[in-house]
Amino acid sequence: MSARIYISRDSGALCVGAEEVATAFRKAFDNRGLDVEIVRTGSRGLYWLEPLVEVARPEGRVGYGPVRVADVDGLLDAGVLDGKKHKFGLGLVEDIPWLKSQTRLTFARCGIVDPRNLEDYKAHKGYKGLEKALAVGPEATVEEVANSGLRGRGGAGFPTGIKWRTVAQTPPQQKYIVCNADEGDSGTFADRMIMEGDPFVLIEGMTIAGIATGATHGYVYIRSEYPHAIEAMEIAIREARKGGMLGKRIAGSKYDFDMEVRAGAGAYVCGEETSLLESLEGKRGEVRAKPPLPAHIGLFGKPTVINNVLSLATVPIIMSDGATFYRDFGMGKSRGTMPIQLAGNIKHGGLYETAFGITLGALVDDIGGGTRSGRPVRAVQVGGPLGAYFPRELFDTPFDYEAFTARDGLIGHGGVVVFDDTVDMAKQARFAMEFCAIESCGKCTPCRIGSVRGTETMDKIIRGERVEANLALITDLCQTLKFGSLCALGGFTPYPVMSAIRHFPEDFDRPRLKAAAE
Ligand SMILES: Cc1cc2nc3c(=O)[nH]c(=O)nc-3n(C[C@H](O)[C@H](O)[C@H](O)COP(=O)(O)O)c2cc1C
Ligand code: SF4
């Protein structure tokens, strides 16, 4: 075997110099007359170690990182191709505790395979799920997904199998599979990582969804801020088509399924499923009233499955390894694993896939290693910009849909954003209102007008104007937003606002506290 090294092409690695490091290795190999293949993979998700260079050795892949261009010659001089020691040496990548302690089901191949190579995907258990779906047929496939307990990973946690069953039971006609890859939540990047690191798993998941529900065409709606993911998906779709895994009679079966990529124009609300459908149809991204559900009347008025990237990318392993295997992980009604994204002011940020049930404290303190600034953790926002802020007193909350709801929070898409003790929670609450005002689609009054009034009221509180009366006003306004909004953008904005007020009251009374102290 000729020597081989692996370097990520994931956006997170590229922005810390992975491309330059790969070029430097190529040059160094050529200068030294070494026959070494450089395979460009996705990322393992240990972002503080990127650019991570992995050397193929008989005992496994040995990691070195983070590597800069200036380190390349030194690494080769030290003999890393022969598995020699170096100060950047991390040992076997699979044995790095941060990776080893995970349960990688959805992310099983990410960082390992070449995302542009269909054969590599197949060599790593790829298309085993489709094989099973073709063997058992559409009805049994829907039941398998339902029995796995998989719930939508886009935020709402709706059971995927039930959604598929609804579409499958509509009369035969043109139906669609739409993959929601708008990924607008703060601190989230798992969808992007899958699309850049293991795009065939998403193609396989969408293909299975198509067979299960009778849909013959799929769209991946990707935010325009993800050019690398768009490119990776387009290349993978072409390769899958070339390899007979998309198009007519896929994998030699009687089923047709094809798909294409659509780039969004950049609006948070276009991640909301009905707004996304409007946008896909070429219209302004405005929320549709429900009912009708997209499962009945969706894209171009046809029955449509809309699922998040992670939901669809998890289907292949459910089909290949079985519903029971998958549902054995997790707790309560949260079955399987969740790819959690650790972000913000955190020492070890990245992608951590684990069974539901791990506590927030374990994620932030043990796995994340506390803040990057070294200061105490003060607040953690979970579930994107509409998620609640959790104080340290609630760090015993397990990662579970119902446990988070019981504490007036949400898991959302699994984003965990950490703040240290320099954070001003009144400003964060104002930011939530302002975010809602900026991103509102404008269709309903509580959100369109309420978010603007909310921002103004927060400004008054921050200035110390009639704090008590304005806090009562904000609380009242949040009730109106929560119960009167048409969609969750307005409906969930109260979560960050009210959690900040409830758990960090001292930040909302600063002028008065300051005056009392003087
Ligand atoms: C304002 C807003 C933004 C949303 N953004 C996303 C998003 O970026 N990605 C996503 O998958 N779901 C998003 N959702 C949830 C979708 O409406 C929908 O529930 C999801 O795509 C369904 O797929 P799932 O069942 O696989 O989670 C958003 C919802 C709202 C209200
Ligand atoms: S809550 Fe906001 S984003 Fe949602 S429909 Fe109403 S105006 Fe549009």
Side-chain angles (χ1 to χ4, degrees), residues 269 272 286-288 436 439-448 481 485-491:
V269 77
E272 193 281 334
E286 196 175 59
V287 173
R288 293 178 185 170
C436 182
E439 298 294 337
S440 170
C441 83
K443 183 134 174 172
C444 68
T445 317
C447 170
R448 187 182 66 244
L481 273 166
S485 297
L486 186 59
C487 86
L489 178 47

Side-chain angles (χ1 to χ4, degrees), residues 238-411:
R238 269 204 306 273
E239 289 301 307
R241 220 176 265 146
K242 239 194 276 172
M245 304 310 287
L246 281 175
K248 297 272 177 216
R249 302 178 61 82
I250 41 165
S253 73
K254 62 178 178 179
Y255 297 100
D256 300 341
F257 186 78
D258 211 339
M259 57 186 279
E260 57 194 292
V261 171
R262 284 278 187 273
Y268 181 69
V269 77
C270 282
E272 193 281 334
E273 56 186 16
T274 61
S275 185
L276 185 154
L277 293 179
E278 288 286 295
S279 174
L280 255 185
E281 290 179 10
K283 301 176 196 148
R284 180 168 173 259
E286 196 175 59
V287 173
R288 293 178 185 170
K290 285 192 273 193
L293 294 172
H296 292 128
I297 299 181
L299 185 63
F300 305 119
K302 300 294 179 190
T304 303
V305 167
I306 303 189
N307 273 135
N308 173 252
V309 172
L310 299 180
S311 317
L312 289 159
T314 304
V315 166
I317 193 158
I318 290 172
M319 290 310 295
S320 64
D321 290 34
T324 312
F325 164 80
Y326 189 75
R327 71 170 305 124
D328 275 353
F329 296 95
M331 70 174 275
K333 291 182 188 158
S334 306
R335 309 312 316 173
T337 58
M338 183 72 197
I340 296 164
Q341 299 124 88
L342 300 175
N345 188 345
I346 192 156
K347 195 169 169 197
H348 294 149
L351 190 289
Y352 194 88
E353 182 176 353
T354 187
F356 283 100
I358 189 169
T359 64
L360 187 55
L363 280 168
V364 172
D365 294 329
D366 306 339
I367 292 149
T371 62
R372 195 177 167 85
S373 61
R375 301 182 68 93
V377 174
R378 180 152 187 248
V380 178
Q381 190 178 29
V382 184
L386 310 176
Y389 288 98
F390 280 71
R392 192 164 264 291
E393 298 79 71
L394 297 184
F395 274 17
D396 60 345
T397 313
F399 228 79
D400 162 73
Y401 291 102
E402 280 64 38
F404 266 69
T405 307
R407 290 187 160 173
D408 289 327
L410 51 115
I411 285 181

